[in-house]
Amino acid sequence: MMRQFELVERVGSYDPQADEDALNRAYVFAMKMHGSQLRASGDPYFSHPVEVAGILTDYKLDSASIITALLHDTIEDTPATLEEIEKLFGPQVARLVDGVTKLTRIELTSDSAKQAENFRKLLLAMSEDIRVLLVKLADRLHNMRTLHYIKKPEKRQRIAAETMEIYAPLAERIGMDAWKMELEDRAFAELHPDARESIMTRLKYLREQGGDLVTRILDELNKVLKENGLDSVELSGREKTPYSIWRKMQMKDVAFEQLSDIMAFRVIVDSVEDCYRALGVIHGSYPMVPGRFKDYISTPKPNGYKSLHTGIIGPEKHRIEVQIRTRQMHEIAELGVAAHWSYKQGSSPNMEGRQYRWLRELLEILEHASGPEEFLEHTKLEMFQDQVFCFTPKGDLIALPSGACPVDFAYAVHTQVGDTCVGAKVNGRMVPLRTVLKNGDQVDVITSKAQTPSPEWERFVATGKARARIRRFIRSQARAQYVELGRQLLQRTFKHEGYDLTEKGLEGVLRRFKADSVEDLHAIVGEGTHTAQEVLTAVYPGVKQSRIENVVQFFRRKRSHPSPAEHRPMDREPKAVGIGALHIKGLIPGMAVHYARCCHPLPGDRIVGIVTTGRGVTIHTIDCDQLEQFSDEPERWLDLAWEGESGARTHIGRVKMVVANEPGTLGTLSTVIAKNLGNITNLKILNRTTDFFDMLMDIEVRDVKHLTNIIAALRANAAVNTVERARQ
Ligand code: MN
């Protein structure tokens, strides 16, 4: 284990401004906190954070990163708290340690390898600071180096699979090539020990057969390049890693015996022009292997990697891979994000690619930053900041656009879940459906079979899927209403004029109204494209327009816009009603219950309760605008649902309507309502002109379905222009 003074000296050797005092304190703090804890290897646990810190010093990271590495397991595994760390080491280190701890927690809760791609994105999105990710990757690297000490084979396998699926690609993504290769190779050794063993044996055999083949090839390549005027090239050669050979075997479905391409050579030159010159020389001297040339200089990899790659039948007729790059490209390839240190003196390399803008910004900041601290502090990971990643209660990961709410989440899980969603818990707490989700939130969607999508949702959903479903539902619902309304309008009109309404009669005029079916014709009449009277005259030519139809026509044209009414309270406001706990699920026993007067919830409505000090619980419909004011107080929300049959108990439903101002209208309305077993308890005229009444009506009903039936019956009445449930 590295001693305290060694670690501090190492940091000091590349960063003279390093905070030695803080480094010393962090070393001692972590040692104390981990105390007598042991690793699976039998070593003191404390050796692990020290090794992780050591790995990071190889990349010359700033003291905040090194301190974070020393402290990275203290919150999760020791009595230390974040407050304590903040007090001792300042807010920056506290933020970094908190970031690493969060990544560790997510790792523990999720069967992550299942959804590797999403999980990688989540880790990137949560690592707001690049240093968090660097510490996490170094942590994983050390855990992989000591993996063989873990006794249980299943645990070793799980960790190795996770490393292969998630951490190695992450290391590649931020350009940490050496880490990526080591992580891959160690995971490979655990997951496929036999395959790795046989590849190693074969490599050994080839090595023995060929003598010092790599050296001979290097010498010849060097000679060829020099002869063609490329004097200052740097050449190196190596065998590929067992894992990269194995992957090639899998991808190309070739046996190892046929796989001759096991050596890779690297040519490092001074300039981009020399890269292409060297390529020309090599292609001119040896046969090319078709399909192996790749120009990553003109089209860099997403992580900023640049090089020319080619495959040739090289010296002694060996198939080899050759990579050609400049020194700068090489350092970025080798060190990834850590490469910036090398550029402190020189010019910053020109990083292309929008996706890795942060990497470019990082290098730009470097140029102007005075020291490593400032430099790294400004380095934020921007990738995937436009996305948010949340968990289902089972630990599945759902990726959503940022700004998404529980309704989006519900639709992303399953259309059915979205359609029947009534509420949501985020991290165990009931929240409004419009709550914006955050990275790592666990979302538990509450559904009810009786529910349907609400038009209100459209105002706050962020995903196209949710919006499309809600619209589709509204359309289909509206269509059903238009069909029913049209059917009733036709019945009424035909009866009123004394004619028979038959399917056959309607079928005969379908074409005239561009209708595909009788139902379609009903809808056309219901939505007002054509009137029932027009249909009547089509079926029975020569019928005169009736008076009622004229009135309806009049209102349709007018689409009345009543002037805003003066706000007189209704004479008899509905009283607060105590409800037996029998009918509402989720109530706290013994608490007084009131129905909100803004939205008049009815059985069948989606509802929530708001706890009011001294008044008990007020029940609102879940789409009530008044709920907005409680959105910051999730603790006051109660998840409620109607339960069982509403029985004999009645509730007040409030409707707003516009009706014809003519004798007998009110009588007709009360007849329609009475026929449908509703009881008018209150009526308020908001506005009255020569043509229409604009009014509010309170009706005693059993539940929302009952009220919906009454509304449908009112709509079918010719004297009613519009009718809808009143809000506010
Ligand atoms: Mn650790």
Side-chain angles (χ1 to χ4, degrees):
M1 184 184 6
M2 209 192 304
R3 307 273 206 73
Q4 189 172 343
F5 74 91
E6 287 175 287
L7 181 71
V8 176
E9 265 178 18
R10 265 171 90 163
V11 180
S13 71
Y14 61 80
D15 184 4
Q17 271 123 53
D19 188 346
E20 287 193 16
D21 171 53
L23 282 165
N24 280 316
R25 282 189 291 115
Y27 192 100
V28 173
F29 182 81
M31 184 162 57
K32 255 197 212 149
M33 282 298 158
H34 287 293
S36 57
Q37 290 173 354
L38 294 181
R39 295 273 288 173
S41 61
D43 287 335
Y45 192 95
F46 176 57
S47 64
H48 164 67
V50 172
E51 291 300 330
V52 175
I55 290 170
L56 294 172
T57 60
D58 290 342
Y59 288 83
K60 302 186 172 140
L61 289 179
D62 68 334
S63 20
S65 308
I66 307 299
I67 292 169
T68 302
L70 289 170
L71 304 177
H72 82 268
D73 279 332
T74 55
I75 292 189
E76 199 65 7
D77 297 341
T78 81
T81 64
L82 196 59
E83 291 73 33
E84 215 172 334
I85 286 173
E86 173 153 10
K87 222 169 83 194
L88 291 168
F89 303 100
Q92 189 194 166
V93 167
R95 190 170 48 76
L96 294 173
V97 172
D98 188 38
V100 180
T101 306
K102 277 182 183 149
L103 296 191
T104 306
R105 283 189 187 143
I106 277 186
E107 176 179 80
L108 293 174
T109 55
S110 142
D111 185 2
S112 38
K114 258 194 336 201
Q115 289 173 289
E117 178 57 23
N118 271 345
F119 200 83
R120 289 196 294 266
K121 287 182 186 167
L122 171 68
L123 291 183
L124 280 173
M126 287 193 68
S127 314
E128 282 172 7
D129 190 308
I130 186 88
R131 288 173 290 184
V132 169
L133 196 56
L134 288 169
V135 173
K136 188 68 215 165
L137 285 171
D139 173 43
R140 177 52 64 123
L141 189 61
H142 184 249
N143 286 337
M144 287 305 289
R145 284 178 184 171
T146 53
L147 185 68
H148 55 280
Y149 291 117
I150 290 173
K151 297 263 157 38
K152 279 192 185 154
E154 310 86 60
K155 191 174 175 193
R156 287 201 307 270
Q157 294 260 326
R158 183 182 61 74
I159 294 172
E162 204 177 67
T163 300
M164 194 66 107
E165 297 286 332
I166 291 153
Y167 293 94
L170 271 179
E172 182 178 25
R173 217 153 193 170
I174 62 167
M176 307 297 284
D177 221 41
W179 288 6
K180 174 213 156 197
M181 287 203 299
E182 186 178 341
L183 288 170
E184 265 176 4
D185 200 48
R186 291 188 182 277
F188 180 48
E190 178 61 44
L191 294 171
H192 304 281
D194 298 346
R196 187 168 181 276
E197 197 52 45
S198 60
I199 290 171
M200 301 285 271
T201 312
R202 174 75 181 170
L203 284 173
K204 191 164 161 248
Y205 168 80
L206 289 175
R207 227 175 281 141
E208 282 161 4
Q209 289 292 299
D212 203 356
L213 188 57
V214 172
T215 314
R216 292 206 307 276
I217 293 177
L218 276 175
D219 287 346
E220 189 178 323
L221 284 177
N222 204 8
K223 205 174 112 216
V224 169
L225 288 165
K226 284 230 164 80
E227 278 169 6
N228 287 278
L230 284 147
D231 295 322
S232 62
V233 296
E234 222 175 88
L235 269 165
S236 62
R238 58 174 173 90
E239 278 168 3
K240 293 180 177 173
T241 65
Y243 176 68
S244 71
I245 292 172
W246 186 73
R247 214 170 47 176
K248 200 154 281 177
M249 285 165 66
Q250 282 193 316
M251 263 161 22
K252 302 203 171 151
D253 198 23
V254 288
F256 190 77
E257 284 67 29
Q258 300 160 268
L259 193 87
S260 46
D261 188 4
I262 58 164
M263 285 172 290
F265 293 82
R266 195 166 284 151
V267 180
I268 295 170
V269 296
D270 290 331
S271 64
V272 173
E273 297 79 70
D274 281 354
C275 288
Y276 289 100
R277 272 180 66 202
L279 180 75
V281 170
I282 287 167
H283 281 175
S285 312
Y286 303 99
M288 256 177 92
V289 179
R292 296 295 305 277
F293 172 65
K294 295 217 174 64
D295 184 349
Y296 292 119
I297 291 180
S298 63
T299 316
K301 284 191 184 180
N303 66 7
Y305 175 88
K306 287 181 174 184
S307 264
L308 299 175
H309 287 192
T310 188
I312 55 170
I313 312 288
E316 302 181 28
K317 301 234 175 328
H318 286 288
R319 261 171 94 121
I320 57 170
E321 186 184 294
V322 182
Q323 300 170 353
I324 307 165
R325 51 175 83 142
T326 66
R327 217 163 305 276
Q328 278 193 353
M329 293 172 193
H330 181 58
E331 277 173 49
I332 290 175
E334 292 291 292
L335 299 172
V337 286
H340 46 259
W341 306 118
S342 337
Y343 292 99
K344 285 203 78 172
Q345 313 305 326
S347 60
S348 78
N350 185 23
M351 306 295 298
E352 307 291 339
R354 232 182 345 141
Q355 227 186 326
Y356 279 66
R357 199 176 56 205
W358 63 271
L359 191 52
R360 191 173 60 236
E361 279 170 2
L362 196 140
L363 292 161
E364 275 163 13
I365 293 164
L366 173 77
E367 266 190 289
H368 307 289
S370 52
E373 309 282 344
E374 189 190 339
F375 163 63
L376 279 178
E377 208 182 327
H378 288 102
T379 305
K380 301 260 186 238
L381 279 176
E382 284 187 1
M383 286 170 291
F384 308 113
Q385 295 299 317
D386 56 342
Q387 275 177 289
V388 58
F389 301 88
C390 302
F391 290 100
T392 67
K394 281 184 189 158
D396 289 341
L397 201 52
I398 305 280
L400 297 164
S402 70
C405 66
V407 177
D408 294 299
F409 184 92
Y411 274 108
V413 170
H414 195 277
T415 310
Q416 193 61 32
V417 177
D419 283 349
T420 58
C421 154
V422 286
K425 279 184 186 165
V426 170
N427 304 326
R429 288 177 126 186
M430 199 64 205
V431 299
L433 284 174
R434 64 186 70 203
T435 306
V436 171
L437 296 173
K438 294 193 293 295
N439 268 321
D441 277 349
Q442 181 182 306
V443 185
D444 195 352
V445 176
I446 297 151
T447 59
S448 160
K449 273 184 202 146
Q451 301 303 339
T452 51
S454 160
E456 304 288 314
W457 296 350
E458 219 195 311
R459 286 190 284 150
F460 53 80
V461 295
T463 54
K465 184 179 180 187
R467 190 163 291 124
R469 277 301 297 190
I470 296 163
R471 288 201 182 140
R472 207 178 114 188
F473 179 79
I474 295 167
R475 269 202 309 274
S476 71
Q477 203 186 33
R479 159 106 185 162
Q481 282 177 4
Y482 284 138
V483 168
E484 179 57 19
L485 175 59
R487 197 179 60 78
Q488 295 192 25
L489 281 173
L490 286 170
Q491 262 173 7
R492 184 176 311 272
T493 305
F494 276 61
K495 195 174 165 202
H496 187 267
E497 301 291 336
Y499 291 94
D500 281 344
L501 176 62
T502 60
E503 288 265 314
K504 218 172 175 186
L506 292 180
E507 274 163 8
V509 299
L510 287 181
R511 207 183 253 186
R512 218 161 123 188
F513 293 98
K514 295 196 176 104
D516 297 329
S517 62
V518 171
E519 188 192 278
D520 204 21
L521 184 57
H522 286 159
I524 286 169
V525 173
E527 67 195 21
T529 313
H530 292 282
T531 63
Q533 191 71 31
E534 284 176 74
V535 177
L536 177 64
T537 9
V539 180
Y540 299 103
V543 179
K544 281 185 208 154
Q545 287 230 323
S546 78
R547 195 183 63 85
I548 287 178
E549 196 62 29
N550 280 334
V551 173
V552 172
Q553 279 296 313
F554 175 79
F555 281 120
R556 288 231 165 92
R557 275 196 306 275
K558 214 163 150 88
R559 277 284 163 231
S560 55
H561 298 289
S563 58
E566 74 275 38
H567 246 69
R568 254 177 299 138
M570 288 180 79
D571 314 347
R572 198 160 65 90
E573 283 284 353
K575 284 189 206 109
V577 188
I579 311 164
L582 250 177
H583 296 301
I584 296 183
K585 203 167 74 183
L587 277 177
I588 300 160
M591 230 174 182
V593 172
H594 312 263
Y595 285 126
R597 292 173 188 188
C598 35
C599 50
H600 297 276
L602 293 173
D605 278 327
R606 289 161 237 259
I607 49 170
V608 288
I610 295 293
V611 179
T612 320
T613 333
R615 288 202 59 215
V617 180
T618 307
I619 297 171
H620 292 262
T621 63
I622 206 150
D623 53 10
C624 178
D625 284 336
Q626 296 299 308
L627 289 175
E628 188 90 84
Q629 57 183 300
F630 305 109
S631 59
D632 291 329
E633 301 166 275
E635 67 282 354
R636 290 179 63 184
W637 290 61
L638 275 185
D639 172 26
L640 301 180
W642 301 97
E643 211 176 36
E645 292 298 317
S646 41
R649 199 182 297 271
T650 57
H651 304 260
I652 300 297
R654 181 173 287 186
V655 295
K656 190 177 175 186
M657 53 184 149
V658 178
V659 299
N661 181 7
E662 57 187 46
T665 293
L666 285 179
T668 314
L669 294 182
S670 59
T671 309
V672 169
I673 290 166
K675 259 191 189 164
N676 284 279
L677 305 175
N679 182 29
I680 301 174
T681 62
N682 206 354
L683 183 72
K684 181 186 176 187
I685 309 291
L686 295 174
N687 198 19
R688 179 185 198 157
T689 70
T690 44
D691 299 322
F692 57 77
F693 287 142
D694 188 2
M695 63 181 168
L696 283 178
M697 192 182 271
D698 286 350
I699 308 168
E700 272 183 357
V701 292
R702 283 190 312 278
D703 53 22
V704 69
K705 209 173 146 203
H706 187 190
L707 184 63
T708 309
N709 285 342
I710 292 175
I711 288 174
L714 288 169
R715 280 198 182 125
N717 191 290
V720 175
N721 188 33
T722 64
V723 53
E724 61 190 27
R725 265 186 88 177
R727 305 280 176 200
Q728 306 314 319

